Amino acid sequence: MFDNLSDKLDKALHVLKGHGQITEINVAETLKEVRRALLDADVNFKIAKEFTNKVKEKALGENVLTTLQPGQLMVKIVKDELTQLMGGDAEEIDLSGNPSVILMSGLQGSGKTTFSGKLANYLQSKKSKKPLLVACDVYRPAAIDQLHIVGEQIGAEVYSDRENNDPVAIAKAGVKHAKEIGANVVIIDTAGRLAVDEQMMTEIANIHKAITPNETLFVVDSMTGQDAVNTAKAFNDILNFDGVILTKLDGDTRGGAAISIKSVVDKPIKFIGTGEKMEAIDVFYPSRMADRILGMGDVVSLVERAQEQFDEEQARKIQKKIAKNRFGFDDFLTQIQQIKKMGNMKDLMGMIPGAGKALKGLDIDDDAFKHIEAIIHSMTPDERSNPSKLNASRKKRIAAGSGTSIQEVNQLLKQFQQMSKMMKMMQGGGGKKMMQMMQNMR
């Protein structure tokens, strides 16, 4: 996420490191590189210029605190200004209606249908809502089928009318159906177009007028950069939408849309899509995003994701097994599944401060656990519960069954044994022993 922009900003801010004080000359040199980095990320020229002017004004007006180096102070100022540029504070969606009606809008291919499902999943799992998805895209082949598949995936009802070609009538009937079945949120998936055109704008304006939604959200593909910002402005002029959804932030995103869009349309980014899974949706926090852009990670979001997947009852069972020395590969497999549910590995690693830079250029496969799972699944239930039974012939059978080598099976066993010892030491409070163990593992 924003790797290229992060790298260029880091190089730009590196100019001030080693300087004893902030001067007009070294600030000008730094901000020239910052502006270049923003333009390369497809940020609007005017916005990039205004941004660097604000940073310059603040930097030259600041007295460097004795505890801060000039480089550190500049990073803080850039971070604060980036946060403000992207909206300042996080804004949630309005769910006050009964039912609350959410209208999705955007161009074709921006990810509206998939995100409608993600939003429904988010609302039912985290807000205890009962959502109804309404299929109003009557033009794209298989659009209705896609929404039904998404609804089935997350366990949410989908309303559609294949015999009706009037999106306005379908939207009104969908809201009526929601009241009949007791759904308290209606998410209306509308048709996209390949470009902004009058027919499209008239249609969505008519739907908006007919259902008077609590929230109108504009879904934008963040990979399209400045084009996304221009499209958002065209939509906003007609619809006056309430917020923006940025999708595909896990892709090769330059960052221009995330940084520019709030400034251009004066509407907040409310959610971001960070992957293909239905759980890959996050509330947009400008300060956390600024941290990530500047390579500082996002520990708060990482902890929140871990807490969402944390099962207290399961943790208690595992604690008891560790105490009785009965922690097996089935338990290990459960831990792996919880980590996988947190999101794609590269995104998770990017949330750790400093890890983004360290992992630059490395291809972290989302299926990093696949060979481990294959090895564990090739074991018998008895072997998974009692790893000590794994002798040479059993290891040979497991390697053949999982498509791996005996060396890989041995490596997994060694790592599993070391992890089990560590977990037992942590549970017993043996901090000193644990430190010795970690040194031995190097």
Side-chain angles (χ1 to χ4, degrees), residues 104-119 140 146 189-190 219-222 245-248 273 278:
M104 309 296 280
S105 62
L107 291 184
Q108 200 174 89
S110 60
K112 279 191 313 302
T113 303
T114 303
F115 201 88
S116 296
K118 288 182 183 181
L119 184 58
R140 184 166 61 91
Q146 186 190 348
D189 178 37
T190 61
V219 182
V220 62
D221 179 352
S222 57
I245 307 288
L246 283 182
T247 61
K248 306 179 190 177
M278 284 295 121

Side-chain angles (χ1 to χ4, degrees), residues 241-252:
F241 55 71
D242 301 291
V244 177
I245 307 288
L246 283 182
T247 61
K248 306 179 190 177
L249 268 176
D250 57 318
D252 183 22

